[in-house]
Amino acid sequence: MKVSNRRTMSLRIFALLVLIVGGCLATNAQRITGSIAGNVKDEQGAMVTTAAIKATNVDTGFTRSTAANADGTYLIQYLPVGHYTVEVTAVGFKKFVQQNLI
């Protein structure tokens, strides 16, 4: 294969890679859902594994709930993009509310 043919082939491969990466970045920027993750701790920093977590979209009223796992962490996925309030409750603890999450 000649040097000019190799350069042409290399340029074509490079252009293809740029198109693929660019397409992936554009797709990633147009997500219609998000997630909220965190961990639940008491005042001493110990994980609260019995917590119930509820995210509410303040504009639509849409809610999704989950429970903290054995590590005290939680993940609420597939939330339509918007403004949320998150409420955390657990037996023996005062309810915690976090507002204005986007």
Side-chain angles (χ1 to χ4, degrees), residues 84-86 97-101:
Y84 283 85
T85 296
V86 174
V97 178
Q98 177 68 53
Q99 298 178 336
N100 301 320
L101 294 175

Side-chain angles (χ1 to χ4, degrees), residues 4-41:
S4 63
N5 286 345
R6 286 184 187 170
R7 283 187 184 157
T8 303
M9 182 62 101
S10 295
L11 285 174
R12 287 181 181 171
I13 291 172
F14 178 74
L16 181 61
L17 288 174
V18 167
L19 287 173
I20 291 171
V21 170
C24 291
L25 293 175
T27 302
N28 201 15
Q30 309 224 353
R31 292 190 178 184
I32 59 171
T33 63
S35 59
I36 297 175
N39 51 46
V40 184
K41 297 180 182 180

Side-chain angles (χ1 to χ4, degrees), residues 59-82:
D59 298 321
T60 65
F62 175 82
T63 64
R64 181 155 286 154
S65 300
T66 192
N69 64 19
D71 296 332
T73 60
Y74 65 90
L75 174 63
I76 304 174
Q77 296 180 321
Y78 309 112
L79 294 168
V81 174

